[in-house]
Amino acid sequence: MHTSKFLFSSRRSFLKNLPLLGLSVPLMPNCTASGKEKRESGTSGRPFRISLNVSTISGFRLPVEEQIEAVAAAGFDGIELWLSDVSRHIEAGGRVEDLARRMRDCGLTPENMIAFARWIGNDPQQSAEGMEQMKREMELTVQLGGRHIAATGAGLDVFLPENIALYGRQFAELNRIGRTIGVTPLLELWGHGILNRLWKMLAIATESGCPEACFLLDFYHLYAGGNPFGGLALLNGLRLPVFHINDYPGDIPAGTLKDSDRVYPGDGACPFGEVIPLLYHAGFRGALSLELFNESYWRDSSPARILETGYRKTAEVVDRALEGI
């Protein structure tokens, strides 16, 4: 783990040269060098990539190309883009191919694309329309070089146990569409949504009959939804290509937590020392992707500082948790 400390020192020195109040200075000339460094050093001996969901800096409303450059400059291994940001880039005359090339040049893995199509639900017409939207978004994901897309339960107004077989068929159809395009949908758990419990996710995946079924989980959402972390031991870690990492205050009841309550890993009460080894032994080898929505960070800091701090704190938490493995 000593290698990661050396690499962080290098990143910190580089970041000191970035503007702290924004990222308007073009960073593209540095992306290739940063990416080359990461490709040569791998993930500093870690079994997981440390990546970033751009929600973490969404309060600054940076253009998507600047998001890519900033994430690479901070030393992350991969990135989760929001397809709504990509769509705005296209509407403004930008090219998807340029974004894909920029991620490659920056050495960033396009871990997963964030989308909110209403593909699942009790209304067949709504589900069919959501499937068509997901198909278009999967095609865009491939153009960006990605292989995974978030599949939320946004279309579910209520979870009806008698409709579990229906939800399974809908997830099976989504996976079928994904296979034809080359993208795997990740069934996502939301702590304050309808799909807030791990057992619901497993029931839908089981009913789908898809051996390739994958999930998108999150430390904050698991806790907020009342899920015991020990249940993760029942999963095949290979079915978790991306796992959102964040922390939460221990003095706020789980049921009243808000998205904006999420804090940097290590600054809250999440038992990473227990859960990360559990994930490792379950076979997880994907990306731990930092996802925050903390408005106080946006008010009091800058994109560069948030990303630098986020990378450092995530790496420290992961390295401590892995020491005993």
Side-chain angles (χ1 to χ4, degrees):
M1 298 305 171
H2 298 295
T3 306
S4 63
K5 296 178 181 178
F6 171 79
L7 289 176
F8 169 67
S9 176
S10 172
R11 293 185 185 96
R12 179 168 55 192
S13 299
F14 177 65
L15 282 165
K16 285 180 179 177
N17 296 320
L18 297 178
L20 295 181
L21 297 178
L23 288 167
S24 58
V25 177
L27 298 177
M28 196 58 194
N30 293 318
C31 274
T32 302
S34 176
K36 183 174 185 294
E37 175 188 335
K38 288 197 290 293
R39 283 191 292 272
E40 290 175 349
S41 61
T43 53
S44 305
R46 299 184 189 99
F48 321 128
R49 295 184 300 281
I50 295 180
S51 301
L52 185 103
N53 185 316
V54 297
S55 66
T56 303
I57 52 172
S58 59
F60 299 97
R61 300 188 182 281
L62 297 177
V64 66
E65 60 269 31
E66 291 187 28
Q67 295 172 7
I68 293 169
E69 293 165 354
V71 172
F76 288 92
D77 300 302
I79 190 170
E80 289 182 279
L81 294 177
W82 284 48
L83 288 180
S84 56
D85 292 337
V86 175
S87 295
R88 280 190 288 272
H89 172 82
I90 296 170
E91 291 167 2
R95 298 184 346 131
V96 177
E97 296 83 357
D98 293 338
L99 295 180
R101 183 173 61 252
R102 189 164 296 206
M103 284 188 282
R104 289 195 302 270
D105 290 345
C106 287
L108 289 174
T109 299
E111 303 286 5
N112 174 48
M113 301 301 161
I114 304 302
F116 300 95
R118 301 168 73 84
W119 61 274
I120 187 173
N122 301 299
D123 180 348
Q125 179 61 34
Q126 174 191 283
S127 175
E129 293 171 357
M131 291 287 183
E132 286 301 312
Q133 180 181 340
M134 281 293 277
K135 180 176 183 293
R136 294 191 299 271
E137 291 176 336
M138 286 178 173
E139 291 168 347
L140 181 55
T141 295
V142 167
Q143 293 177 52
L144 288 162
R147 291 292 178 266
H148 302 101
I149 188 170
T152 75
L156 271 176
D157 52 353
V158 61
F159 187 92
L160 300 175
E162 62 268 28
N163 278 355
I164 289 179
L166 170 64
Y167 307 148
R169 290 194 298 273
Q170 291 169 340
F171 190 44
E173 173 63 10
L174 190 64
N175 275 276
R176 185 196 66 77
I177 294 171
R179 284 194 299 273
T180 65
I181 296 172
V183 173
T184 300
L186 307 183
L187 187 61
E188 184 171 7
L189 184 149
W190 283 354
H192 303 300
I194 300 300
L195 293 185
N196 61 342
R197 302 292 299 221
L198 194 55
W199 69 263
K200 295 179 181 179
M201 314 282 284
L202 292 171
I204 291 171
T206 300
E207 287 294 322
S208 77
C210 295
E212 74 273 24
C214 288
F215 305 99
L216 178 56
L217 303 181
D218 178 304
F219 290 100
Y220 159 82
H221 280 302
L222 284 165
Y223 176 75
N227 297 275
F229 285 121
L232 295 173
L234 302 176
L235 298 180
N236 177 351
L238 298 178
R239 298 291 143 214
L240 303 170
V242 181
F243 203 111
H244 287 160
I245 187 168
N246 36 50
D247 212 335
Y248 47 81
D251 57 353
I252 301 177
T256 63
L257 279 169
K258 304 185 299 297
D259 280 341
S260 58
D261 292 324
R262 294 183 232 191
V263 294
Y264 294 119
D267 287 357
C270 186
F272 292 111
E274 301 172 15
V275 185
I276 289 178
L278 186 154
L279 285 172
Y280 175 85
H281 290 301
F284 172 68
R285 296 297 186 273
L288 288 170
S289 185
L290 179 65
E291 183 188 44
L292 303 175
F293 287 90
N294 196 308
E295 296 170 4
S296 68
Y297 295 166
W298 302 338
R299 287 194 305 268
D300 302 335
S301 193
S302 67
R305 185 63 65 197
I306 290 171
L307 293 174
E308 177 188 16
T309 304
Y311 182 90
R312 173 173 55 82
K313 287 180 175 287
T314 303
E316 289 172 352
V317 160
V318 172
D319 289 348
R320 281 197 301 270
L322 292 174
E323 284 179 356
I325 293 179

